[in-house]
């Protein structure tokens, strides 16, 4: 009974206070409500901005931890035979169960566009590259392993090039002629977004399709691709040493293998490129809380 009496007394006292000081109580409640809403909004917006910035970094340098592998002869400056290096990297990646890997190379191809034959910058990659670098698509789809089996090479073009083609629906399987010493016809399967100011056509192709159009002399002249491997950040240092040793051993004496990190967390230690954003977001909620407690 005493507990019930005490509870009833507290309710009566609270109701009396509310009747006498209802304006002040109401303003306090409104202030607390606004503070909570502001805190929630700032935290949500901060999280969205931070995620967006993180994805931008990952599109540029790859997801943490992104290892890049290359090899050369320090005395002659020459690159190893592309097929030998390719086999060495593939064997090492399989040995250490690295799930996501990609070859990457840049070049220029002639492409027959409605306005005439145009030099287009291409990037040769493997299907995993899209996941490793968060490649965005405005239309269509990214490469899959099935695209490696196509007789006509699959291509992913940027929006500027797609508009030059007349923005054809990808369901119609639009094609683009690829003239040259080894002519081919590319099938457009995807479109990446282009900024308003970006009017230069670019294109992704699969590495195998790229290598088929290159003569052995061209491949030797341009050198082997850059190899990338996406590994757990906590294993990055260990796997870097293992890949370096294994690939160097496969290439033989005289070759040097370099393994470096390219992602935005590559510097390690206390360096964090997102720190200014985190501090700004962290400071804003505290300010809102202080404002809410003041009863304004």
């Amino acid at each position: 009974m005493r507990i019930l009496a005490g509870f009833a007394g507290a309710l009566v006292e609270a109701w009396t206070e509310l009747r006498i000081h209802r304006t002040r109580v109401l303003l306090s409640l409104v202030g607390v409500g606004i503070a909570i809403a502001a805190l929630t909004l700032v935290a949500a917006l901060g999280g969205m901005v931070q995620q967006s910035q993180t994805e931008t970094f990952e599109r540029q340098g790859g997801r943490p931890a992104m290892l890049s592998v290359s090899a050369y002869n320090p005395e002659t400056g020459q690159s190893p035979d592309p097929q030998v290096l390719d086999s060495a990297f593939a064997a090492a990646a399989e040995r250490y169960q690295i799930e996501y890997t990609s070859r990457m190379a840049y070049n220029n191809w002639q492409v027959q566009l409605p306005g005439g034959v145009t030099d287009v910058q291409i990037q040769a990659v493997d299907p995993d590259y899209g996941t490793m670098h968060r490649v965005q698509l405005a239309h269509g789809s990214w490469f899959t392993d099935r695209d490696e089996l196509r007789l006509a090479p699959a291509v992913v073009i940027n929006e500027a090039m797609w508009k030059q083609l007349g923005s054809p629906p990808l369901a119609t399987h639009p094609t683009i002629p690829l003239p040259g010493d080894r002519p081919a016809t590319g099938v457009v399967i995807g479109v990446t977004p282009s900024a308003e100011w970006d009017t230069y056509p670019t294109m992704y192709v699969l590495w195998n399709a790229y290598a088929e159009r290159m003569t052995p002399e061209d491949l030797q002249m341009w050198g082997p691709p850059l190899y990338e491997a996406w590994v757990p950040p906590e294993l990055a240092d260990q796997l870097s040493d293992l890949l370096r040793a294994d690939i160097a051993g496969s290439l033989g004496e005289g070759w040097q293998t370099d393994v470096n990190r390219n992602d935005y967390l590559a510097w390690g230690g206390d360096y964090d490129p997102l720190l200014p954003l985190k501090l700004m977001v962290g400071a804003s909620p505290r300010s809102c809380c202080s404002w809410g407690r003041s009863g304004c």
Side-chain angles (χ1 to χ4, degrees):
M1 293 296 294
R2 289 184 178 181
I3 295 177
L4 292 177
F7 180 70
L11 289 178
V12 171
E13 184 178 355
W15 176 249
T16 302
E17 287 291 327
L18 181 60
R19 289 175 57 193
I20 298 174
H21 305 290
R22 57 180 175 270
T23 301
R24 186 176 66 182
V25 172
L26 180 61
L27 289 176
S28 298
L29 292 175
V30 170
V32 171
I34 293 176
I36 293 174
L39 174 63
T40 304
L41 179 62
V42 170
L45 290 177
M48 292 172 60
V49 172
Q50 182 175 334
Q51 179 63 24
S52 175
Q53 188 62 54
T54 299
E55 292 183 5
T56 298
F57 285 147
E58 291 180 350
R59 279 191 289 271
Q60 294 171 351
R63 302 194 189 206
M66 188 66 63
L67 305 182
S68 64
V69 181
S70 59
Y72 66 99
N73 188 313
E75 294 184 359
T76 65
Q78 293 180 332
S79 300
D81 182 277
Q83 293 184 349
V84 175
L85 180 56
D86 195 82
S87 298
F89 175 79
E94 183 178 2
R95 182 178 300 114
Y96 300 115
Q97 299 180 350
I98 299 176
E99 184 176 358
Y100 292 94
T101 63
S102 178
R103 293 161 290 189
M104 184 176 65
Y106 291 94
N107 206 330
N108 287 306
W109 276 2
Q110 289 189 331
V111 177
Q112 179 68 56
L113 296 176
V117 177
T118 304
D119 281 336
V120 173
Q121 178 181 309
I122 67 164
Q123 187 173 351
V125 297
D126 286 308
D128 285 348
Y129 182 90
T131 301
M132 295 162 64
H133 286 266
R134 288 187 181 270
V135 175
Q136 288 183 308
L137 291 173
H139 308 281
S141 59
W142 182 251
F143 302 115
T144 66
D145 292 335
R146 294 180 61 184
D147 292 316
E148 299 274 13
L149 305 177
R150 289 176 178 263
L151 297 178
V155 298
V156 175
I157 63 177
N158 69 343
E159 203 166 17
M161 186 172 175
W162 181 61
K163 290 179 179 178
Q164 291 187 34
L165 295 175
S167 305
L170 299 189
T172 63
H173 308 290
T175 61
I176 50 175
L178 305 172
D181 296 335
R182 296 184 175 183
T185 300
V187 179
V188 180
I189 65 168
V191 178
T192 59
S194 296
E196 290 293 332
W197 49 265
D198 184 9
T199 60
Y200 189 80
T202 61
M203 182 170 67
Y204 287 101
V205 299
L206 286 172
W207 168 261
N208 288 344
Y210 168 80
E212 287 178 2
R213 296 199 68 217
M214 303 286 284
T215 64
E217 293 76 19
D218 288 337
L219 286 175
Q220 190 64 39
M221 179 182 67
W222 286 94
L226 177 70
Y227 294 85
E228 290 190 328
W230 179 24
V231 303
E234 63 273 14
L235 299 177
D237 292 339
Q238 179 183 1
L239 287 174
S240 294
D241 295 337
L242 293 172
L243 288 174
R244 187 180 296 109
D246 280 29
I247 295 175
S250 299
L251 294 177
E253 187 177 354
W255 298 101
Q256 178 173 323
T257 302
D258 290 337
V259 181
N260 302 296
R261 279 188 67 173
N262 287 336
D263 59 89
Y264 71 99
L265 296 178
W267 294 101
D270 297 329
Y271 175 74
D272 184 357
L274 294 175
L275 182 60
L277 178 61
K278 293 177 180 178
L279 291 175
M280 181 181 68
V281 173
S284 298
R286 285 195 292 270
S287 300
C288 293
C289 289
S290 298
W291 176 76
R293 284 196 299 268
S294 67
C296 296

